[in-house]
Amino acid sequence: MFARTAKGMKGEVDIMADISKRKLYGKHELLADFECSNFREAAQYRAEHFPDVALFTYTDQDTGERTVVMPREFQGQYEALSVCLFENGVGKHLAVMGDNSYQFMLLIQSALCSQNTAVPLDKSLDTDTLGMLLQKSDSSVLFYGRNYGEKAAALKEKLGIEVYELEELGKLVSEGQKLIEAGKTDCLSQEIDNDAPSVIMFTSGTTGNHKGVMLSQRNIVSAAIMDNRQCKFFYDGLLVLPLHHAYGLTCAVMIYMMFGKTVHINQNMRHMFRDLQAENPEGLVCVPLHHEVFYNAIWKGIRSAGREEEIRAKIEENRRHPELTDAKKREMFRDVLGVLGSRMKALSSGGAPLNMEIYNGLRDLGIEIYQGYGITECSPIVSCNFEGGVRTESVGRILEGMEIRIDDPDKDKVGEICLKGPNVMLGYYKDEEATREVLQDGWFHTGDIGYIDEDNYIYLSGRKKNLIILANGENVVPEELEAKIVLCRAVKEVVVFEKNRRITAQIFADEEYPAGKEGKSPEDIIRGHIAKVNQSLPNFKQIGAVEFRRTPFVRNSGGKILRNSVE
């Protein structure tokens, strides 16, 4: 087993030595009252403080069998698997791809606690791209979900790597248990290097340039602690985010693990509403695409029951009574919210800008949305709104324990957001040049443009790399224009860019949007809307050309439009 040794990372992060021992920033010592710095300590804390609360539950997508995993059970299984991996060689890069599953999380936990490095991969990528990432990350072993056996077989043939089916991990756990019984327990007693590269997560952003973000265990655990302290998202949750994203691993798993809540694992989006009904969570960590799915499902049920006029009348009446609490609204609309279960209270949102129509529509029904801001390089959370501290236009207040500055601000104090903190990555794997570009004097340059207010709330404008720089020297943030265009309900998706020296909007229209009294097409309605938008803009910002496409833009697995998919 594991015949080949992956190339280690010694020397790859030497340029980051000055910040690998970074101190914590903020008003108080981050870990003063929570002594966890790695995944082993987090699992031990959970087992000691919440031993009788289920850690994971899931319903197998093939057999329909429901499984409950208690904290001590998880601890015993990951320790056994860790010993098995350790005794078969350490310092390896173990890649994993597949649908969300208990085995996926068990493998990540075990890899990190056996002095190996986990490399979670997006199973939706094509075989050529997966092969490139396996080589780029020096991965010597691939664990895969059984639904992706053909890809795994092709990668094994192409690269000569070892492959193992995630669903067969039980055999390796049993092997590890036998090793423990034989006294092979060195793995369990060896100290974990909290600041060593432990996870390599590939981020393509929206341009397709895959970079391997090196995160330490301290990075991820610190992010979870800081986020939970501020957001206080104390809800049982359903895991709907992919585990190959830092957002899913940190915010939808690690926080729940450490703070005594249950993670209900949704293995496949096809079964999401089934799992919502079966597990009945109180909250979800998700992205705006989920909001849209939930909102549409709710209103589909309302219309099917012939209650649209009744519900809209109730909503209009409620808007005249701002004193109504979310709890009262949820009780009022309990029957129509049933598609989400009977306990749903709130959604934590990140990854993409909110659709304000859907945001307000869910709030009308008593479902609060707490928008946050994160980036993989920050493990990933940076800021969040929270109960009693919501500012709708902001992506939230920066987490206590971090520092922020605005680089090269303009007259309105808008510039590039730069960050320091214990959650900031170690660097990009095998890419010193890219690391130097974003980590300068201990500050991480995010590439995001925005400003902060007097209360440390962050407001985003767009991405620095997306800026349109006009011939007259003026800068145009395309995301600002996109936000105005998408307010037209006939617009499904839009990307603004420069083409032939003109600001151009490429739009995927909603062909089913009902025509107005004049019988206008969606395209005509959109052109009229853009004409009104242009009237409110200075000349240099106005949309000069509009293009319509017949297919949606390509998105990455996090739901973000890939801007290089513009036709």
Side-chain angles (χ1 to χ4, degrees):
M1 177 182 172
F2 310 144
R4 284 162 292 281
T5 301
K7 180 180 177 182
M9 288 190 283
K10 296 295 184 183
E12 298 290 353
V13 294
D14 288 347
I15 60 171
M16 299 312 303
D18 59 328
I19 60 169
S20 65
K21 299 180 180 179
R22 61 174 66 86
K23 294 182 179 180
L24 307 176
Y25 303 90
K27 297 179 181 178
H28 66 270
E29 183 71 12
L30 177 65
L31 302 181
D33 57 351
F34 196 91
E35 296 297 331
C36 284
S37 300
N38 59 53
F39 278 47
R40 179 194 292 167
E41 291 172 353
Q44 179 65 27
Y45 181 91
R46 172 58 183 264
E48 289 179 355
H49 289 80
F50 308 97
D52 300 323
V53 180
L55 176 52
F56 295 105
T57 68
Y58 60 93
T59 300
D60 188 274
Q61 60 181 329
D62 296 323
T63 67
E65 180 181 356
R66 187 175 185 271
T67 300
V68 177
V69 181
M70 302 303 290
R72 293 290 185 194
E73 184 181 4
F74 175 69
Q75 188 176 26
Q77 291 181 358
Y78 96 72
E79 286 181 349
L81 183 54
S82 296
V83 169
C84 180
L85 297 175
F86 182 85
E87 292 298 324
N88 282 279
V90 299
K92 295 182 177 3
H93 295 187
L94 309 180
V96 53
M97 70 171 184
D99 296 325
N100 281 352
S101 67
Y102 172 67
Q103 291 82 3
F104 197 125
M105 187 60 214
L106 180 63
L107 190 281
I108 291 179
Q109 175 83 16
S110 302
L112 271 57
C113 294
S114 59
Q115 299 188 31
N116 292 296
T117 299
V119 186
L121 298 175
D122 182 355
K123 81 276 185 177
S124 68
L125 296 174
D126 61 81
T127 303
D128 287 342
T129 302
L130 285 167
M132 180 268 291
L133 297 182
L134 286 167
Q135 290 180 308
K136 193 170 184 178
S137 63
D138 291 322
S139 294
S140 59
V141 183
L142 171 65
F143 290 85
Y144 66 94
R146 67 165 56 111
N147 292 334
Y148 304 93
E150 289 186 11
K151 283 186 178 181
L155 291 166
K156 178 180 180 180
E157 181 178 354
K158 181 179 181 179
L159 304 177
I161 64 171
E162 296 179 77
V163 297
Y164 295 89
E165 191 175 292
L166 279 171
E167 286 78 4
E168 298 297 322
L169 277 188
K171 296 177 181 178
L172 302 185
V173 171
S174 296
E175 182 180 332
Q177 290 169 340
K178 292 177 182 178
L179 289 168
I180 292 173
E181 291 169 2
K184 301 284 189 179
T185 58
D186 289 350
C187 172
L188 306 180
S189 59
Q190 291 201 0
E191 184 177 353
I192 291 176
D193 185 348
N194 301 329
D195 297 303
S198 294
V199 179
I200 298 176
M201 285 193 164
F202 282 99
T203 174
S204 60
T206 56
T207 60
N209 180 25
H210 298 276
K211 292 179 288 188
V213 177
M214 294 187 294
L215 299 177
S216 70
Q217 295 191 48
R218 190 192 303 276
N219 286 155
I220 297 171
V221 172
S222 296
I225 294 171
M226 291 190 296
D227 182 28
N228 198 68
R229 277 197 173 142
Q230 179 156 300
C231 193
K232 296 181 175 61
F233 203 66
F234 290 115
Y235 301 136
D236 287 332
L238 186 71
L239 173 64
V240 295
L241 296 173
L243 283 170
H244 66 265
H245 278 187
Y247 186 28
L249 179 61
T250 300
C251 299
V253 175
M254 289 306 297
I255 289 177
Y256 291 80
M257 177 185 293
M258 292 190 290
F259 292 93
K261 292 297 182 179
T262 301
V263 182
H264 306 294
I265 301 173
N266 169 243
Q267 295 182 298
N268 191 293
M269 289 292 287
R270 294 195 306 265
H271 303 303
M272 182 172 65
F273 286 105
R274 178 204 67 181
D275 289 346
L276 283 168
Q277 294 291 320
E279 307 297 352
N280 205 18
E282 298 173 280
L284 258 70
V285 179
C286 54
V287 296
L289 277 178
H290 290 111
H291 307 163
E292 183 177 350
V293 171
F294 299 151
Y295 185 74
N296 290 339
I298 290 168
W299 279 98
K300 180 180 179 181
I302 291 171
R303 294 187 182 101
S304 295
R307 300 182 60 194
E308 182 170 5
E309 185 175 340
E310 170 202 344
I311 298 301
R312 292 199 183 279
K314 281 186 179 181
I315 289 172
E316 286 302 318
E317 175 62 23
N318 288 349
R319 287 175 178 171
R320 292 191 283 270
H321 298 280
E323 72 280 3
L324 274 176
T325 65
D326 287 338
K328 289 181 179 178
K329 292 177 186 176
R330 288 195 301 273
E331 183 61 33
M332 183 179 297
F333 298 113
R334 175 178 294 276
D335 52 346
V336 302
L337 291 173
V339 68
L340 304 182
S342 63
R343 299 195 303 157
M344 187 64 67
K345 297 178 180 178
L347 308 174
S348 177
S349 178
L354 289 173
N355 179 315
M356 294 309 296
E357 178 186 357
I358 291 175
Y359 171 78
N360 290 320
L362 287 171
R363 294 186 76 192
D364 282 336
L365 300 173
I367 304 296
E368 183 59 86
I369 297 179
Y370 300 117
Q371 184 177 202
Y373 163 54
I375 187 167
T376 305
E377 289 88 342
C378 290
S379 308
I381 192 68
V382 171
S383 65
C384 63
N385 283 282
F386 49 92
E387 186 175 357
V390 174
R391 298 190 181 179
T392 305
E393 300 302 321
S394 170
V395 292
R397 190 173 69 193
I398 186 172
L399 302 182
E400 187 173 346
M402 299 190 71
E403 280 187 316
I404 186 170
R405 82 175 193 207
I406 302 299
D407 193 48
D408 194 22
D410 63 15
K411 57 182 175 57
D412 297 316
K413 299 183 179 180
V414 175
E416 184 180 10
I417 294 170
C418 301
L419 302 161
K420 277 185 180 182
N423 52 330
V424 173
M425 69 169 182
L426 303 174
Y428 296 119
Y429 183 60
K430 295 176 66 176
D431 198 338
E432 295 187 2
E433 181 179 352
T435 300
R436 290 192 185 96
E437 287 178 4
V438 298
L439 284 169
Q440 301 170 18
D441 299 323
W443 287 94
F444 171 59
H445 291 246
T446 66
D448 289 313
I449 299 169
Y451 69 95
I452 54 175
D453 66 16
E454 65 278 4
D455 297 318
N456 287 325
Y457 278 77
I458 301 175
Y459 299 79
L460 295 180
S461 303
R463 290 286 291 167
K464 184 177 180 180
K465 63 186 176 184
N466 297 337
L467 272 178
I468 298 172
I469 303 176
L470 302 176
N472 61 4
E474 294 281 5
N475 292 343
V476 176
V477 179
E479 291 90 344
E480 176 189 347
L481 300 178
E482 290 162 3
K484 294 178 182 294
I485 293 171
V486 82
L487 291 175
C488 175
R489 296 179 65 183
V491 174
K492 273 198 168 183
E493 298 175 345
V494 57
V495 170
V496 171
F497 58 101
E498 184 180 18
K499 182 176 181 180
N500 299 326
R501 297 190 177 183
R502 303 172 76 188
I503 297 177
T504 302
Q506 190 171 113
I507 295 170
F508 176 52
D510 183 354
E511 292 298 334
E512 296 182 0
Y513 184 76
K517 292 181 180 179
E518 300 83 6
K520 292 182 178 179
S521 67
E523 288 81 1
D524 288 338
I525 293 171
I526 291 168
R527 288 191 182 94
H529 174 77
I530 290 177
K532 292 180 181 179
V533 168
N534 279 341
Q535 292 174 7
S536 67
L537 297 171
N539 288 338
F540 74 89
K541 281 189 179 182
Q542 291 181 5
I543 306 297
V546 179
E547 300 176 353
F548 291 98
R549 55 187 289 140
R550 297 306 171 193
T551 58
F553 290 97
V554 178
R555 294 176 180 265
N556 64 19
S557 57
K560 292 181 180 178
I561 290 175
L562 298 178
R563 303 186 79 88
N564 60 358
S565 68
V566 170
E567 296 174 344

